[in-house]
């Protein structure tokens, strides 16, 4: 009765965009209610039968979770090869076996496993919905940033997620019928040894980069969405981890690179000798865009009239950036270091994965000049995003300023407005003009 009440109240308060009276929701709600009622019926069965029931749950739960996850992600099994489906199943099974290894209870493993895979499917689906690309292995490094950004979104569960939740709940309630627990120490050691062996083989063979490519699994290929649909959500995500590490190119030699550098002449000065060094304010504005490139969009007035009117002492043009719908740090990385992220695996954020030590960049170069610049990084948002605080310290910037450092600010949709950003930028510039140093902000 308690579980039924929780189901009804949960569906009532969930932020959703569908009626709970729609047919798929009603069907799986009834299934969940039936399973809940069955928990009140106690049937004493032998230990052998419980053991067989436990084995049945262990083998069938991964299959149900695989189906439920791909249903939420709207991936069709007919687009997947048999090898891909088997590999997906092996990963799901591995998670359940690991949970059994930890808790020694199949019921707990099924409850936790079905919850884990449901949450994964929901997160993957929302990332795909908001960003236009599915969840990638490299995204695990961006959880803090994702939390900051998601605070500005209103999360509403569509029908597929409501139904998926009811399926996961029904499976979890059904698993509560299983009371089997391995008490024999010798048998438990044997079982756990087999689980460890299975996990080692799966990781060593299934997640070997050469094997993945041989099986046609390349999550870092150009067609991220197509790969996700053909490989399945979990496999596409997990298979990305072996590709995060950069491979050294064939015939690459640090000594040869150093020889080339030693044979070149460095030019540490900017501009002509004796010329005055300018202050440099480098603005990267995500909300600044020329929507007139959408030629068929009817507009009542020219949106960038003032900008387009600037003709004296100005260079203008279109800029191509490496990201869309997220990944701001990659634009910063390319602009400051000159490294193209196209040479990194797709979906990788160098700020999260590769910047672990001092890295040459524009700010450091200006700081190291004979007439040194003062260097400041300003970002009027949370300092935890994209590991920026650590990165810009390794970049050698003398000062970092985040939203909590500037006092009262003006917001629009939970973000500091452009107007406020520029006002704080001017304040920062004017405050530092008295020390005589040239500024790079």
């Amino acid at each position: 009765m308690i579980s039924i009440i929780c189901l009804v109240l949960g569906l009532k308060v969930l932020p959703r965009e569908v009626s709970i009276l729609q047919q798929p929701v009603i069907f799986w709600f009834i299934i969940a209610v039936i399973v809940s009622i069955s928990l009140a019926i106690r049937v004493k069965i032998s230990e052998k039968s419980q053991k067989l029931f436990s084995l049945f749950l262990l083998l069938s739960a991964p299959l149900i979770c695989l189906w439920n996850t791909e249903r939420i992600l709207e991936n069709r099994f007919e687009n997947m090869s048999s090898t891909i489906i088997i590999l997906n199943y092996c990963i799901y099974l591995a998670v359940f076996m690991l949970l059994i290894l930890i808790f020694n209870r199949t019921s707990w493993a099924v409850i936790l496993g079905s919850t884990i895979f449901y949450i994964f499917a929901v997160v993957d689906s929302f990332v795909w919905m908001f960003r236009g690309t599915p969840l990638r292995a490299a995204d695990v490094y961006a959880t803090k940033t994702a939390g900051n950004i998601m605070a500005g979104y209103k999360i509403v569960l569509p029908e597929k997620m409501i139904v998926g939740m009811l399926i996961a709940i029904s499976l979890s309630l059904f698993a509560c019928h299983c009371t089997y627990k391995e008490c024999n120490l010798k048998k438990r050691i044997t079982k756990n040894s087999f689980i460890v062996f299975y996990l080692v083989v799966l990781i060593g063979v299934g997640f070997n980069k050469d094997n993945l490519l041989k099986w046609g699994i390349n999550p870092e290929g150009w067609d991220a969405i197509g790969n996700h649909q053909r490989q399945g959500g979990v496999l596409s995500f997990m298979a990305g981890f072996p590709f995060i590490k950069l491979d050294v190119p064939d015939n690459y030699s640090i000594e040869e690179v150093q020889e080339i550098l030693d044979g070149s002449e460095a030019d540490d000065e900017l501009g002509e000798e004796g010329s005055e060094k300018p202050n440099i304010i480098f603005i990267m504005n995500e909300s600044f865009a020329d929507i007139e490139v959408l030629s068929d969009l009817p507009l009542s007035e020219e949106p960038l009239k003032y900008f387009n009117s600037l003709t004296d002492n100005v260079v203008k043009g279109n800029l191509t950036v490496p990201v869309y719908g997220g990944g701001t740090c990659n634009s910063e990385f390319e602009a400051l270091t000159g490294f193209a992220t196209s040479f990194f695996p797709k979906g990788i954020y160098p700020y999260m994965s590769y910047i672990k030590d001092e890295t040459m960049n524009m700010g450091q170069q200006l700081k190291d000049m004979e007439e040194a610049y003062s260097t400041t990084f300003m970002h009027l948002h949370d300092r935890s995003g994209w590991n920026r605080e650590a990165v810009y310290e390794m970049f050698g910037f003398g000062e970092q300023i985040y939203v909590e450092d500037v006092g009262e600010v003006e917001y629009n949709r939970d973000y500091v407005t452009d107007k406020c950003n520029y006002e704080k930028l001017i304040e920062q510039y004017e405050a530092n003009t008295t020390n005589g140093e040239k500024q790079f902000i």
Side-chain angles (χ1 to χ4, degrees), residues 25 36 145 192 231 395:
V25 178
S36 298
T145 305
N192 290 348
Q231 297 165 8
F395 275 2

Side-chain angles (χ1 to χ4, degrees), residues 208-418:
N208 177 281
K209 188 184 292 187
D210 293 333
N211 287 339
L212 289 171
L213 292 174
K214 183 173 65 177
W215 295 327
I217 301 170
N218 181 12
E220 307 305 334
W222 67 273
D223 187 10
I225 294 177
N227 289 337
H228 188 274
Q229 292 171 333
R230 290 186 295 270
Q231 297 165 8
V234 170
L235 177 58
S236 182
F237 173 75
M238 295 297 295
F241 286 100
F243 291 85
I244 289 179
K245 184 179 178 181
L246 288 174
D247 291 327
V248 178
D250 294 336
N251 303 318
Y252 178 80
S253 169
I254 296 178
E255 291 74 18
E256 288 185 20
V257 172
Q258 191 60 51
E259 286 180 13
I260 295 172
L261 289 173
D262 293 340
S264 61
E265 295 183 3
D267 183 4
D268 295 328
E269 292 296 320
L270 298 176
E272 298 178 1
E273 186 175 352
S275 63
E276 183 180 354
K277 304 296 186 295
N279 291 300
I280 303 172
I281 299 177
F282 191 163
I283 299 172
M284 302 186 71
N285 187 342
E286 290 180 273
S287 65
F288 181 79
D290 184 4
I291 60 174
E292 286 189 291
V293 298
L294 306 172
S295 56
D296 58 345
L297 186 67
L299 300 173
S300 59
E301 60 183 89
E302 186 179 359
L304 297 181
K305 187 175 182 179
Y306 175 72
F307 177 79
N308 292 332
S309 71
L310 298 174
T311 56
D312 296 333
N313 193 28
V314 64
V315 177
K316 294 185 291 187
N318 292 323
L319 177 70
T320 299
V321 294
V323 293
Y324 173 77
T328 314
C329 61
N330 281 4
S331 292
E332 295 174 27
F333 174 78
E334 287 196 346
L336 289 172
T337 67
F339 292 120
T341 54
S342 57
F343 294 105
F344 293 103
K346 290 188 182 299
I348 286 293
Y349 309 111
Y351 276 19
M352 311 298 296
S353 307
Y354 300 134
I355 308 297
K356 305 298 180 185
D357 206 340
E358 291 183 6
T359 301
M360 185 52 65
N361 64 90
M362 190 188 303
Q364 186 67 59
Q365 287 179 308
L366 292 168
K367 189 178 178 181
D368 291 344
M369 290 179 61
E370 185 176 336
E371 187 181 336
Y373 276 70
S374 68
T375 53
T376 304
F377 171 74
M378 285 188 68
H379 180 67
L380 299 194
H381 200 47
D382 194 275
R383 66 194 326 117
S384 65
W386 297 123
N387 196 35
R388 284 190 177 98
E389 191 169 17
V391 167
Y392 282 96
E393 183 176 340
M394 287 181 281
F395 275 2
F397 276 67
E399 186 177 10
Q400 297 185 48
I401 299 173
Y402 297 93
V403 67
E404 53 263 43
D405 303 321
V406 297
E408 187 175 346
V409 292
E410 178 184 87
Y411 285 95
N412 181 22
R413 294 189 305 105
D414 300 321
Y415 296 97
V416 178
T417 64
D418 284 359

Side-chain angles (χ1 to χ4, degrees), residues 92-123:
Y92 281 76
L93 180 61
V95 172
F96 284 95
M97 292 177 74
L98 178 61
L99 292 171
I100 288 177
L101 177 69
I102 296 171
F103 298 108
N104 192 32
R105 287 183 180 272
T106 305
S107 56
W108 292 9
V110 172
I111 293 169
L112 288 172
S114 57
T115 302
I116 289 170
F117 287 118
Y118 173 71
I119 293 173
F120 170 85
V122 169
V123 172

Side-chain angles (χ1 to χ4, degrees), residues 167-181:
I167 292 172
I169 290 173
S170 299
L171 178 60
S172 298
L173 291 172
F174 184 67
C176 292
H177 283 289
C178 181
T179 59
Y180 178 74
K181 177 183 178 181

Side-chain angles (χ1 to χ4, degrees), residues 60-80:
S60 61
L63 192 61
I64 295 171
C65 288
L66 169 59
W67 166 71
N68 194 29
T69 299
E70 301 308 330
R71 190 194 58 79
I72 293 173
L73 297 175
E74 299 182 3
N75 292 334
R76 302 172 67 88
F77 284 105
E78 51 262 41
N79 295 331
M80 304 179 192

